[in-house]
Amino acid sequence: MSAETAGLTKVDSAISGLSSSPPEEKKGHRRASSSAAGVYNINDLEKEGKELQIAKETQKLNWKLNTSPATLDDKETLKKFLTTPPVKKIDLHFPLGLEVTARNLKGVTIKDALDAIHKQFKKKADDELELPVLAGFEWDKEESWTRLIVHQKKEGAPSSGGGKKKDKKKETYDE
């Protein structure tokens, strides 16, 4: 064995410019984040003094906090941004002190907010919740720029049209 290896000399790869490992391909620069263009950090908006507008559709949802947002009929509303301009994350503050955070690097949608709320209330029974229905969100820049206040109500409005049609029929028979 020693006779065979005697003819070989050890070469320092650093000196000869050779590499024992395969050549590394140059890696591209690291992506800053996967957020979409036009989506802001709420803290940056506060520094710039840009005001938020909340999607008005949230007031018409009549969504129960302990039911999945997937049960809502209006799927298009769920895809809309919760705020204008869209933000990556926003805190949702309940009057009793609970605070949840809705996050989405491509912009927080109404569904993201409802999902964050649902996660807190999904194990609660209807009778455990004093105000089980979402009434909407309020942004009070005086209190806190970075969070929305969640408003709740006792019960949802009656389904549009359903009850009213029956009442009209009753009126015609009474006359």
Side-chain angles (χ1 to χ4, degrees):
M1 282 246 176
S2 60
E4 289 174 19
T5 56
L8 299 175
T9 57
K10 213 173 204 182
V11 178
D12 189 350
S13 61
I15 295 170
S16 66
L18 297 172
S19 168
S20 60
S21 60
E24 285 188 34
E25 292 157 24
K26 191 174 182 185
K27 292 180 182 167
H29 67 281
R30 186 174 173 189
R31 196 179 315 158
S33 73
S34 59
S35 63
V39 179
Y40 298 90
N41 183 325
I42 189 115
N43 297 324
D44 295 343
L45 291 177
E46 185 175 11
K47 287 174 198 161
E48 293 169 23
K50 277 194 180 174
E51 302 215 351
L52 291 175
Q53 264 83 44
I54 302 169
K56 289 183 172 52
E57 293 87 350
T58 58
Q59 297 166 12
K60 302 175 197 142
L61 290 173
N62 285 322
W63 172 68
K64 287 176 92 176
L65 305 180
N66 60 355
T67 59
S68 170
T71 60
L72 285 171
D73 296 332
D74 196 357
K75 303 289 184 222
E76 285 306 307
T77 301
L78 293 177
K79 294 176 187 170
K80 292 184 177 166
F81 289 124
L82 179 63
T83 60
T84 307
V87 293
K88 293 177 188 175
K89 73 171 191 151
I90 192 152
D91 294 326
L92 305 171
H93 180 75
F94 286 83
L96 294 174
L98 176 70
E99 197 160 295
V100 296
T101 304
R103 293 182 185 87
N104 186 340
L105 291 175
K106 292 178 175 68
V108 174
T109 62
I110 293 172
K111 183 182 186 315
D112 296 322
L114 299 187
D115 283 340
I117 294 168
H118 176 245
K119 192 172 181 182
Q120 291 296 320
F121 292 100
K122 64 184 175 187
K123 290 186 172 71
K124 298 256 193 254
D126 287 356
D127 58 354
E128 285 182 75
L129 297 169
E130 197 174 310
L131 301 168
V133 178
L134 178 73
F137 300 99
E138 174 193 356
W139 180 62
D140 185 0
K141 66 180 178 186
E142 306 301 320
E143 188 179 319
S144 174
W145 198 283
T146 60
R147 72 181 182 198
L148 301 179
I149 300 161
V150 180
H151 289 284
Q152 298 160 266
K153 54 188 177 182
K154 271 254 190 280
E155 54 196 50
S159 58
S160 57
K164 293 176 186 172
K165 288 179 185 172
K166 289 176 185 172
D167 293 341
K168 285 182 182 175
K169 285 180 184 174
K170 284 181 184 175
E171 286 176 20
T172 56
Y173 292 125
D174 291 342
E175 291 173 0

